[in-house]
Amino acid sequence: MTTDPSASPAIDLAALLAAQRAAYRLDGAPSLAERRANLAKLRAALIDNRTRLEEAINADFGHRSRHETSIMELGSTISGIDYLHKHLRRMMRPEKRHVAVHMQFGSARVEYQPLGVIGVMAPWNYPLVLAVMPLATALAAGNRVLLKPSEFTPTINALLEEILGALFSAEQVAVVNGDAAVGAAFSALPFDHLVFTGSTTVGRKVMQAASEHLVPVTLELGGKSPVIVEKGHPLDHACAGIVFGKLVSGGQTCIAPDYALVHEDDLAGFLTHYEAAVVAAYPDGPASEDYTWVFNDRHLARLNGLLEDARAKGATLREIGREAPGVNPRAMRPSLVLNVSDDMTIAHEEIFGPILPVFTYRTLGEAIDVVEARPRPLALYYFGHDKAAQRQVLDGTTSGNVTLNGTLLHIAQDDLPFGGVGASGIGAYHAIEGFRRLSHAKGIYVQGRWNVTTLLRPPFGKMAERLLRFVLR
């Protein structure tokens, strides 16, 4: 079911939320079989509509590689759903917990209970996986969902509305479309939990709105995710991995490498191998069928503004790969930015495009200091096989996740939590951590027939003194 509450968002949204909450109270928590059935029919519908999903996302982007959509969005979603389906019994199983020695005749356990109604706010850059994976996780945890996609992806939104509307009643899953005002009203609803994926700036506003009703939030934001290349590491290997992570979906990925730290002795080789990797991946340059465009003109103007600011302040810009005269300007040619200084906007803002600033370092400690001087990133990448150096980077930096000797691939591991830390986000919604994030861990103690604590009730006497001496020894 979908609604476009542009006329009176607060009233319509409140009614949707109330209907889902009433249905949850009436029906209670769904069984394992019901949850698996929901996941199975969601999976089947996505597979059945693969071509339509690829075409819809391509229409919203202007041009996006259909293979990228199937690999990065549909494939990731199907894999995540399969993981939830396979491990759901274990996730739902109550956990036995330790009982204090003086209460050994009792028992303790944790049961994971659905929260109720989950709000999900999805962004434009990955409009399928970042909408459906939080949805699937919420359903696996036994919840109902209100989904607010980005207003910038109307084609895929309409298709998701159609697909989800055919699978679920409005009391179980409802899609809400609308502009930024609707999004603001949505974020202010008294959900049982709110999952938001997007920019740090908007994330702050979402968290502030949610705090009015003390709604707990999961925020998957972003930031400047660094890639460090160890001195002497094979540059063909490193650059192939960096080009993949940087240029997939036109660089418009929240965990894309935002800047590179390369040893000063390896800079010339890095520039050569990076260009070779770009040409190998996109032989026709920005005209390549597999090269994704910048999402819209506004974002293109922002990226060009970053480059112009850097150039005006002394940076060296180096366009990479083959030229493609006559292509749409949004098919932005990849570029490297050298001699970046701290007064440049590109040194501080998340780039979100096919632009890679390159910094040099002399010692690994110096590279780590550069990373730690910035807000904590959503991801960090390190290319190098030296175990001691890997340990130094892992211990010396704090980031949401890490991939060693590759980029992006941590997000493809369904058994790893995915989320940020500090300015890059709060919480995670993959793996068992995601299930538990959207569940209430209810601690339960069952008192045994004989309970020594009855001796600690008034009136207190010698036995209470003896027990206290034992406990407080």
Side-chain angles (χ1 to χ4, degrees):
M1 183 267 190
T2 185
T3 183
D4 186 348
S6 54
S8 53
I11 296 174
D12 290 338
L13 291 174
L16 280 172
L17 177 60
Q20 289 201 350
R21 185 158 282 147
Y24 174 75
R25 289 172 179 164
L26 178 65
D27 297 339
S31 66
L32 170 64
E34 289 172 316
R35 300 182 199 197
R36 280 181 165 169
N38 287 333
L39 294 173
K41 66 183 181 182
L42 178 59
R43 183 191 194 281
L46 294 174
I47 293 293
D48 290 345
N49 287 279
R50 172 186 171 180
T51 300
R52 297 178 68 201
L53 290 165
E54 291 171 354
E55 291 173 349
I57 293 176
N58 183 67
D60 286 330
F61 268 77
H63 177 76
R64 197 212 213 179
S65 165
R66 68 178 183 86
H67 288 97
E68 284 186 356
T69 293
S70 280
I71 294 168
M72 302 296 292
E73 300 235 46
L74 190 58
S76 296
T77 305
I78 295 301
S79 179
I81 291 173
D82 288 346
Y83 173 88
L84 290 168
H85 190 280
K86 178 180 179 180
H87 296 282
L88 192 51
R89 183 187 298 275
R90 173 177 60 87
M91 293 177 178
M92 293 175 62
R93 185 179 299 136
E95 288 184 342
K96 186 178 180 180
R97 294 296 178 93
H98 173 75
V99 175
V101 65
H102 52 287
M103 300 182 188
Q104 285 297 306
F105 291 94
S107 63
R109 68 180 185 272
V110 174
E111 293 185 0
Y112 292 94
Q113 179 180 33
L115 290 173
V117 181
I118 308 298
V120 175
M121 302 182 73
W124 55 262
N125 62 317
Y126 283 88
L128 177 61
V129 66
L130 295 180
V132 178
M133 268 317 299
L135 165 66
T137 304
L139 292 174
N143 299 291
R144 292 158 193 265
V145 179
L146 285 181
L147 170 63
K148 169 64 177 73
S150 169
E151 64 269 29
F152 298 115
T153 53
T155 313
I156 185 63
N157 294 356
L159 182 54
L160 280 177
E161 159 195 333
E162 175 192 326
I163 292 171
L164 296 175
L167 298 178
F168 304 104
S169 70
E171 288 74 31
Q172 190 169 13
V173 176
V175 178
V176 175
N177 284 305
D179 59 14
V182 176
F186 187 94
S187 65
L189 289 172
F191 290 110
D192 297 299
H193 196 100
L194 179 60
V195 179
F196 168 83
T197 304
S199 70
T200 301
T201 300
V202 178
R204 288 192 179 97
K205 296 177 181 178
V206 167
M207 189 172 185
Q208 184 176 15
S211 70
E212 182 67 25
H213 295 289
L214 298 180
V215 175
V217 295
T218 296
L219 305 178
E220 194 271 275
L221 304 177
K224 296 185 75 64
S225 296
V227 54
I228 303 173
V229 182
E230 180 182 273
K231 180 183 180 182
H233 185 82
L235 292 173
D236 55 346
H237 170 258
C239 289
I242 296 169
V243 165
F244 164 69
K246 184 63 188 179
L247 298 185
V248 69
S249 199
Q252 297 159 125
T253 304
C254 58
I255 56 171
D258 190 272
Y259 63 97
L261 288 155
V262 179
H263 192 273
E264 58 185 11
D265 292 346
D266 294 334
L267 178 61
F270 179 88
L271 300 179
T272 299
H273 284 283
Y274 190 88
E275 176 142 21
V278 170
V279 171
Y282 306 102
D284 295 324
S288 298
E289 182 65 23
D290 294 326
Y291 191 75
T292 296
W293 292 5
V294 172
F295 185 72
N296 58 27
D297 291 337
R298 178 182 175 185
H299 189 37
L300 178 65
R302 176 187 165 275
L303 292 172
N304 283 325
L306 291 176
L307 291 176
E308 288 308 310
D309 175 78
R311 191 198 312 270
K313 293 174 180 175
T316 302
L317 275 53
R318 179 168 174 169
E319 289 191 308
I320 297 296
R322 295 199 170 93
E323 295 185 47
V327 299
N328 190 298
R330 283 166 49 204
M332 187 179 193
R333 193 175 173 193
S335 59
L336 296 173
V337 185
L338 308 174
N339 304 315
V340 176
S341 58
D342 200 55
D343 62 334
M344 299 174 186
T345 306
I346 203 168
H348 302 283
E349 282 191 9
E350 181 178 9
I351 295 170
F352 227 63
I355 304 166
L356 183 71
V358 181
F359 299 85
T360 58
Y361 69 88
R362 286 167 292 190
T363 67
L364 186 55
E366 182 182 309
I368 290 172
D369 288 342
V370 171
V371 174
E372 287 296 285
R374 290 165 167 76
R376 291 172 170 176
L378 187 56
L380 180 144
Y381 305 107
Y382 180 76
F383 284 87
H385 296 297
D386 184 274
K387 298 298 183 183
Q390 290 179 0
R391 192 71 261 164
Q392 184 180 351
V393 171
L394 292 172
D395 291 344
T397 61
T398 301
S399 60
N401 291 86
V402 174
T403 292
L404 299 176
N405 296 311
T407 60
L408 309 188
L409 297 181
H410 59 274
I411 200 172
Q413 312 313 309
D414 295 313
D415 205 29
L416 285 180
F418 171 70
V421 58
S424 61
I426 298 171
Y429 61 82
H430 286 200
I432 194 169
E433 287 82 2
F435 175 89
R436 291 181 176 176
R437 186 76 177 174
L438 301 184
S439 302
H440 169 56
K442 180 184 286 185
I444 300 169
Y445 173 69
V446 181
Q447 183 171 295
R449 285 174 176 257
W450 188 80
N451 180 16
V452 71
T453 61
T454 58
L455 301 176
L456 295 175
R457 298 172 183 170
F460 301 110
K462 292 182 179 180
M463 186 57 71
E465 286 293 336
R466 291 172 184 168
L467 285 173
L468 285 171
R469 281 198 298 271
F470 173 77
V471 173
L472 302 177
R473 67 192 185 282

